[in-house]
């Protein structure tokens, strides 16, 4: 299971138990766009049950990120706040207030995918939240590609280390899928298939156990009719040698 798929499964299970979930994701190219990811997060929180419990002052503050939250409040005041040196601190405090109001209504899970694309301001806000949530019924789960974070200077890495040192953050590394993992995946996806015994070895060799590559490869083989339903069961319609040649 890859990081994004894992977050989707967490979201499904939380909702089954009637918990509240806000799911957002970083986007490539937004790292230099201050508060881009934070705006999505605030917008999602403001739509949750309990959001009305946040103070008017907090909602006014957050309307600088999500204009629909202004709700008739003074536009001139909102614009004027942008030049205030304390703006980031006030926004962080307003986020804590909004998040606490939502969590008071029912347990809350924040899912943030692709944090390696998050801007520095959003990372700072997450660090602030991590040390000030107290006993709020809130869990924040973020995912990122470690290779991307380590490849170039990133705002995320020092934030992660700081939260780990404070004892409020735990890192879970997702290991590549093994050959047996892939065999189990194929059996679940194609029940009672008649694929060659060495097909799982071939897929493992080509994907190196990367979940995203695995799903893309299987989809490619199905779309190109290399792997197809025949006589009521899933089969390879080419030899293993042919498959090796057609796999990208």
């Amino acid at each position: 299971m890859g990081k994004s798929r894992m977050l989707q499964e967490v979201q499904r299970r939380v909702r089954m138990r009637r918990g509240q979930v806000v799911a957002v994701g970083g986007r490539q190219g937004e790292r230099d766009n201050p508060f881009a990811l934070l705006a999505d997060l605030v917008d999602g929180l403001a739509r949750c049950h309990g959001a009305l419990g946040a103070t008017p002052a907090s909602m006014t503050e957050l309307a600088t990120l999500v204009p629909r939250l202004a709700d008739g409040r003074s536009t001139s005041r909102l614009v004027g706040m942008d030049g205030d040196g304390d703006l980031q601190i006030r926004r962080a405090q307003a986020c804590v207030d909004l998040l606490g109001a939502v969590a008071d209504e029912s347990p809350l899970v924040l899912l943030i995918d692709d944090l390696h694309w998050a801007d520095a301001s959003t990372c700072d806000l997450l660090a602030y939240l991590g040390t000030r949530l107290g006993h709020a019924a809130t869990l924040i789960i973020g995912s990122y590609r470690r290779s991307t974070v380590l490849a170039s200077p990133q705002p995320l890495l020092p934030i992660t280390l700081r939260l780990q040192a404070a004892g409020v953050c735990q890192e879970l590394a997702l290991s590549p899928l093994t050959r047996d993992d892939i065999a189990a995946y194929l059996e679940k996806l194609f029940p009672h298939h008649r694929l060659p015994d060495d097909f799982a070895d071939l897929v493992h060799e080509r994907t190196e156990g990367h979940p995203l590559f695995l799903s893309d490869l299987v989809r490619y083989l199905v779309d190109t009719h290399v792997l197809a339903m025949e006589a009521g069961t899933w089969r390879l319609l080419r030899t293993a040698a042919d498959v090796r040649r057609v796999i990208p």
Side-chain angles (χ1 to χ4, degrees):
M1 182 181 292
K3 62 179 184 59
S4 299
R5 179 67 183 85
M6 184 186 72
L7 294 188
Q8 292 170 6
E9 181 63 18
V10 171
Q11 182 173 354
R12 184 185 70 83
R13 296 191 182 195
V14 171
R15 286 183 170 160
M16 282 179 58
R17 291 163 175 77
R18 302 186 182 280
Q20 300 199 82
V21 180
V22 174
V24 298
R27 291 178 289 271
Q28 187 172 3
E30 287 193 343
R31 195 180 300 154
D32 296 326
N33 185 5
F35 298 109
L37 184 54
L38 177 58
D40 291 340
L41 186 61
V42 169
D43 188 48
L45 283 170
R47 297 176 189 274
C48 290
H49 295 298
L52 293 178
T55 66
S58 292
M59 300 309 286
T60 297
E61 206 71 60
L62 296 176
T64 61
L65 290 171
V66 183
R68 71 174 184 84
L69 302 181
D71 192 27
R73 298 179 179 91
S74 171
T75 303
S76 60
R77 180 171 181 265
L78 298 179
V79 173
M81 292 164 80
D82 287 342
D84 193 326
D86 294 330
L87 175 60
Q88 188 163 342
I89 294 176
R90 293 201 308 271
R91 280 178 173 172
Q93 292 171 338
C95 283
V96 171
D97 179 44
L98 174 59
L99 192 150
V102 172
D104 284 345
E105 182 74 17
S106 63
L108 172 67
V109 177
L110 304 183
L111 302 177
I112 310 174
D113 199 7
D114 291 333
L115 268 172
H116 48 274
W117 298 126
D119 59 277
S121 298
T122 296
C123 289
D124 288 340
L125 184 278
L126 290 175
Y128 187 91
L129 289 179
T131 55
R132 286 166 175 80
L133 288 180
H135 299 291
T138 302
L139 174 65
I140 302 175
I141 303 177
S143 72
Y144 64 91
R145 288 202 300 265
R146 189 167 183 80
S147 58
T148 302
V149 170
L150 296 178
S152 60
Q154 294 261 348
L156 180 62
L157 185 57
I159 296 301
T160 302
L161 296 175
R162 188 192 315 168
L163 291 174
Q164 288 175 340
V168 296
C169 174
Q170 182 176 357
E171 186 175 63
L172 174 64
L174 298 181
S175 302
L177 299 174
T178 66
R179 185 268 178 203
D180 290 342
D181 292 332
I182 291 176
Y185 172 80
L186 294 172
E187 180 60 41
K188 184 173 182 179
L189 200 60
F190 308 110
H192 313 298
H193 64 72
R194 293 192 177 181
L195 301 174
D197 291 338
D198 62 349
F199 182 63
D201 296 294
L202 172 59
V203 173
H204 183 259
E205 172 191 325
R206 282 294 192 264
T207 64
E208 298 181 340
H210 192 294
L212 180 59
F213 295 165
L214 170 61
S215 60
D216 285 349
L217 173 58
V218 171
R219 188 180 305 110
Y220 172 80
L221 294 177
V222 172
D223 290 346
T224 55
H225 303 290
V226 174
L227 199 166
M229 178 74 76
E230 185 180 74
T233 189
W234 286 94
R235 304 168 185 265
L236 275 185
L237 302 187
R238 300 191 189 183
T239 66
D242 288 337
V243 173
R244 287 181 183 276
R245 284 193 290 270
V246 301
I247 291 179

